[in-house]
Amino acid sequence: MLNNEQIELYNGIWQRFMDGDEEALSSIYFEFYDVLFNFGMKYSSDRFLVEDCIQNLFVDLLRNRHKQKPVTNIKFYLLKSLRNQMASERRKTKKLLPVGEPGEAEFRISYSAESSLIAIETDELRSMFLKMVTEKLTIRQKEALYLKFNCGFDYVQIAVMMQISVESARTMIYRTLKSIKETFGLECYSDLILFSLFRSFFQKAN
Amino acid sequence: MGEEFQKYTLEDFLDDANFCSWARYERSEMDGFYSKQLVKYPEQKEVFELAGELVRLFDDEKLITHPDRKLQIWRKINRVYHQDNKITKNYKLIFRYAAAIVLLFSFASLTWYFVSLTDEDDFFSSYRPQELTEMRLLLDNGDTINIQEEQAEIIYDHGGKQLIINDELVQKKKNTTNPVLNELTVPFGKQSKVVLSDLTEVWLNAGSRLIYPASFEGKNRKVKLQGEAYFKVYKDKSKPFIVETNNSSIEVLGTSFNVRAYPGEMAEETVLAEGSIRFNPGKTIFGKKLIMEPGQLVTVPNGDHSYTVSKVDVRDYTSWIDGVFVFHEESLASLLKRVSQFYNIEIVWMNDAENRKISGKLDLKDNYLQVLNALSLISNGVYSKENGKIYFRLK
């Protein structure tokens, strides 16, 4: 993630773009492409769709250059625009299906290679059950936690992004964490004991 | 944090942006801090580790896009932007010259019509990529360009007036007097990508040939293909995009699909990744037209009007454009064939390879020996090299 200094730098580059320097947008594009792509892949598994949406996002920025306003956080602004692009793309392709809130349709958690590696190294069982618990969350809950933990957004930004009130964002995250804690405390440890019993049984059998 | 660490709950940890980014290994200056705190308050270890793991569960996959691909997309952004910019600027001019253009269009489409009539049989019978060692591009002015690289990207910019090969602008020696078509032939062992004047992207696999005009001036956008290509067609509802193969005709508006139509093979295969396409197997005028859905595979036996439709995993058919072969319950024989085409090597296999079904993934950036080693391992086979041929046997 970018630190505050870098965000300041890119906010300045954004200013140059607004002043008419089209080249400035290219440095923004190359700096943020991977961030945008990874973010987009959370909302769709279709690589080409994500690429298309990033493309449309930047074409729109160029087209509406004169209407752009200064931004406080360029990363937040770009991710929010990408999410809108993806929601409108989905509305176009799935016109016949009932569409809920934008972005709701397909938010996926794909566990990163790194986290599974750690799972093996540290406490294998615990992280397996943690995965089980988070898989049970709703799409909106997963999205909220992703925006908070991974993108480092605050409640105001999460609220804008998910088009809900700040209060609902706060409550949603609070409740989600609470439910994770509860399920983890109740179900998992009993399952954990069962599972380790099974394992020791099979190890003996072998 | 310091004193508070002791009282931190799961929520407190997760609410702390510093902690979250530290848990994703982003800030090294926090490293020492947390381990010191844990020594001081070991009772917090459980909650601390749980919070860290939860953060990491929501981490990105950290997909890194190749710089070349980023550059391609950036160029496309600029082409799309400048294209519609021009349209608005020249709005009035366009009207003024409308009559002239209409005349030109009709002339071009007439020529295109006659060219396509006379070239038809010639194109599909003169397929000899085996004889080539380099990629060959025939331009509409009669120039021939040989491309030595293993992979090439060819772009028809500014509505087809400018030609860029591997980032270099190609100067056409003479101008076109009578428009003939452009033709790109990719020999076995190489791959290429073409961006046509309408911004449609075409990935050409080894041993393939594509014929297309430098700019599309008729009422449709028509190209001809032998071999295998992945098309990402730029949306233009007023001009349907048509791919003709030896045995079928495929009509689309804007979508992505893979066509495999090697003359030497039993059947032609078309897989639709997204959108919808109209499929005319056998190219019969009054024949049945089939509307394909994403994820469907249509197989048309060569020299036949019949076809079969099945549901497949699209990745198995399109992974080659990313430099990997992904395969799922595919016969060893068909995979060996793909490998031999891709690397331009001759592989001999026994009949039992037809029945051996394997699944997995091959990285085509490896050399062919590494790929064959991997294949032997997956299929439980052995290979040997004799007289420049590879003999593949099952154990």
Side-chain angles (χ1 to χ4, degrees):
Chain A
M1 201 178 68
L2 295 145
N3 58 37
N4 291 339
E5 235 169 82
Q6 282 164 311
I7 287 179
E8 277 301 302
L9 177 74
Y10 280 97
N11 286 347
I13 293 176
W14 177 256
Q15 184 60 45
R16 262 176 42 212
F17 167 63
M18 286 192 304
D19 294 342
D21 182 0
E22 281 179 20
E23 288 294 307
L25 192 67
S26 96
S27 41
I28 292 173
Y29 167 85
F30 285 103
E31 174 64 36
F32 287 95
Y33 186 90
D34 286 328
V35 174
L36 283 165
F37 186 74
N38 277 290
F39 182 80
M41 289 299 281
K42 288 278 176 190
Y43 290 88
S44 165
S45 52
D46 182 350
R47 192 191 106 176
F48 284 128
L49 178 82
V50 178
E51 286 184 353
D52 279 350
C53 288
I54 295 177
Q55 181 191 312
N56 293 344
L57 162 63
F58 279 90
V59 172
D60 282 353
L61 288 179
L62 281 167
R63 275 181 195 156
N64 305 323
R65 199 183 67 218
H66 307 291
K67 293 180 224 153
Q68 301 295 345
K69 297 185 189 88
V71 292
T72 44
N73 183 331
I74 176 87
K75 181 185 158 191
F76 174 71
Y77 178 72
L78 290 173
L79 294 187
K80 189 180 67 118
S81 312
L82 180 61
R83 189 183 181 280
N84 292 344
Q85 285 283 354
M86 301 209 43
S88 76
E89 197 60 37
R90 183 166 300 115
R91 272 196 293 275
K92 258 189 263 168
T93 51
K94 289 186 182 164
K95 234 180 256 168
L96 300 173
L97 298 172
V99 178
E101 288 166 272
E104 177 148 23
E106 213 187 325
F107 192 85
R108 12 169 249 139
I109 300 256
S110 27
Y111 301 105
S112 70
E114 253 166 282
S115 75
S116 51
L117 197 78
I118 287 148
I120 298 161
E121 282 170 0
T122 56
D123 196 344
E124 201 181 334
L125 284 177
R126 189 180 57 194
S127 57
M128 262 181 57
F129 285 112
L130 197 56
K131 251 182 215 181
M132 264 174 47
V133 174
T134 48
E135 267 160 17
K136 282 184 194 152
L137 298 176
T138 69
I139 290 156
R140 297 280 282 181
Q141 286 176 320
K142 285 181 195 169
E143 187 185 7
L145 291 190
Y146 170 75
L147 295 174
K148 183 163 174 56
F149 300 159
N150 189 275
C151 307
F153 293 145
D154 59 29
Y155 290 113
V156 178
Q157 288 169 320
I158 293 170
V160 173
M161 189 75 98
M162 296 182 70
Q163 298 171 17
I164 48 177
S165 73
V166 180
E167 213 30 64
S168 336
R170 203 187 296 273
T171 325
M172 185 199 279
I173 288 172
Y174 171 75
R175 286 207 185 125
T176 310
L177 288 180
K178 203 174 152 211
S179 84
I180 290 179
K181 247 167 82 172
E182 276 164 9
T183 353
F184 200 77
L186 295 171
E187 274 180 35
C188 292
Y189 280 110
S190 55
D191 286 352
L192 198 120
I193 293 161
L194 247 164
F195 185 78
S196 29
L197 265 172
F198 261 114
R199 205 157 69 158
S200 57
F201 174 77
F202 280 112
Q203 271 166 355
K204 267 177 208 156
N206 287 335
Chain B
M1 203 170 176
E3 288 299 303
E4 298 156 24
F5 185 89
Q6 189 185 5
K7 297 179 205 123
Y8 255 43
T9 61
L10 183 71
E11 286 90 339
D12 293 332
F13 276 119
L14 296 171
D15 226 8
D16 186 336
N18 274 338
F19 173 80
C20 289
S21 58
W22 174 83
R24 297 196 314 271
Y25 318 102
E26 274 163 4
R27 272 183 210 186
S28 47
E29 69 256 37
M30 296 299 279
D31 280 357
F33 173 77
Y34 288 114
S35 48
K36 260 183 233 156
Q37 293 292 322
L38 277 178
V39 174
K40 227 163 136 191
Y41 310 107
E43 69 275 15
Q44 283 289 73
K45 191 166 180 274
E46 178 101 358
V47 167
F48 174 83
E49 283 181 353
L50 189 63
E53 248 171 79
L54 200 54
V55 169
R56 282 189 291 272
L57 264 185
F58 286 87
D59 205 357
D60 281 330
E61 287 164 279
K62 305 226 161 46
L63 305 162
I64 305 288
T65 302
H66 196 273
D68 289 352
R69 181 74 191 144
K70 281 185 206 166
L71 196 61
Q72 275 175 14
I73 294 170
W74 178 245
R75 288 210 190 104
K76 209 169 155 194
I77 289 167
N78 281 288
R79 276 200 299 276
V80 173
Y81 171 62
H82 288 296
Q83 209 173 50
D84 62 32
N85 219 17
K86 236 186 306 178
I87 290 167
T88 47
K89 269 183 199 158
N90 299 339
Y91 201 55
K92 284 177 188 165
L93 263 179
I94 282 175
F95 269 103
R96 199 170 298 165
Y97 292 112
I101 289 168
V102 167
L103 264 175
L104 208 77
F105 270 26
S106 37
F107 174 71
S109 46
L110 259 179
T111 328
W112 169 234
Y113 177 70
F114 283 115
V115 165
S116 59
L117 267 188
T118 48
D119 273 4
E120 192 90 3
D121 298 326
D122 201 35
F123 172 67
F124 290 117
S125 57
S126 62
Y127 174 80
R128 278 185 291 275
Q130 295 88 332
E131 292 168 6
L132 285 179
T133 51
E134 287 180 354
M135 254 178 259
R136 195 182 63 189
L137 177 64
L138 288 177
L139 296 183
D140 49 8
N141 61 358
D143 284 356
T144 304
I145 299 173
N146 287 317
I147 303 162
Q148 273 139 20
E149 280 89 341
E150 295 293 308
Q151 296 199 320
E153 191 192 19
I154 298 158
I155 300 173
Y156 286 82
D157 215 346
H158 293 102
K161 283 189 216 71
Q162 232 175 45
L163 176 63
I164 300 162
I165 301 178
N166 288 338
D167 298 338
E168 274 180 50
L169 192 65
V170 176
Q171 300 291 344
K172 286 191 195 174
K173 285 189 198 89
K174 42 191 178 196
N175 265 330
T176 319
T177 41
N178 53 337
V180 198
L181 299 170
N182 286 231
E183 176 180 333
L184 176 67
T185 311
V186 181
F188 285 110
K190 299 197 176 184
Q191 281 187 332
S192 177
K193 187 189 158 192
V194 196
V195 183
L196 301 175
S197 58
D198 67 333
L199 301 178
T200 290
E201 293 170 273
V202 187
W203 283 261
L204 269 177
N205 206 352
S208 304
R209 184 159 163 241
L210 186 75
I211 289 199
Y212 50 92
S215 63
F216 294 102
E217 283 168 357
K219 62 178 187 304
N220 57 32
R221 299 171 281 167
K222 195 171 178 184
V223 302
K224 291 180 189 181
L225 169 75
Q226 280 179 317
E228 180 164 25
Y230 184 83
F231 292 89
K232 190 162 180 285
V233 175
Y234 192 77
K235 270 197 194 95
D236 183 353
K237 281 182 186 153
S238 59
K239 276 191 187 186
F241 193 94
I242 299 172
V243 180
E244 287 215 340
T245 64
N246 198 11
N247 211 20
S248 331
S249 156
I250 301 157
E251 190 178 319
V252 305
L253 294 174
T255 157
S256 300
F257 59 102
N258 193 69
V259 181
R260 186 175 167 91
Y262 285 104
E265 290 182 1
M266 298 286 285
E268 290 181 0
E269 293 179 334
T270 303
V271 172
L272 181 61
E274 57 177 83
S276 79
I277 61 184
R278 203 174 316 157
F279 198 92
N280 182 0
K283 288 202 280 194
T284 48
I285 299 166
F286 301 107
K288 196 179 171 187
K289 283 196 177 154
L290 165 77
I291 307 285
M292 273 179 82
E293 283 165 24
Q296 279 187 338
L297 160 74
V298 172
T299 312
V300 184
N302 262 326
D304 202 342
H305 300 173
S306 67
Y307 60 86
T308 51
V309 182
S310 48
K311 200 94 184 138
V312 294
D313 185 351
V314 177
R315 279 289 295 159
D316 293 357
Y317 291 82
T318 60
S319 58
W320 61 269
I321 67 172
D322 290 324
V324 287
F325 279 158
V326 179
F327 44 97
H328 193 77
E329 290 292 299
E330 188 169 334
S331 85
L332 176 62
S334 105
L335 201 66
L336 284 171
K337 178 151 196 176
R338 281 162 73 176
V339 170
S340 84
Q341 279 170 349
F342 187 83
Y343 289 102
N344 195 22
I345 46 172
E346 201 174 330
I347 307 179
V348 184
W349 58 87
M350 308 300 146
N351 284 339
D352 55 357
E354 299 281 350
N355 303 324
R356 179 67 55 95
K357 299 274 187 277
I358 50 174
S359 305
K361 185 174 161 185
L362 292 174
D363 190 344
L364 302 172
K365 282 178 227 66
D366 292 341
N367 67 39
Y368 74 91
L369 291 173
Q370 286 168 304
V371 166
L372 284 173
N373 283 336
L375 261 182
S376 326
L377 208 69
I378 313 174
S379 66
N380 194 23
V382 279
Y383 69 91
S384 55
K385 211 175 159 182
E386 287 158 43
N387 311 325
K389 283 184 196 172
I390 305 286
Y391 291 85
F392 201 100
R393 289 177 201 85
L394 288 172
K395 275 187 213 160

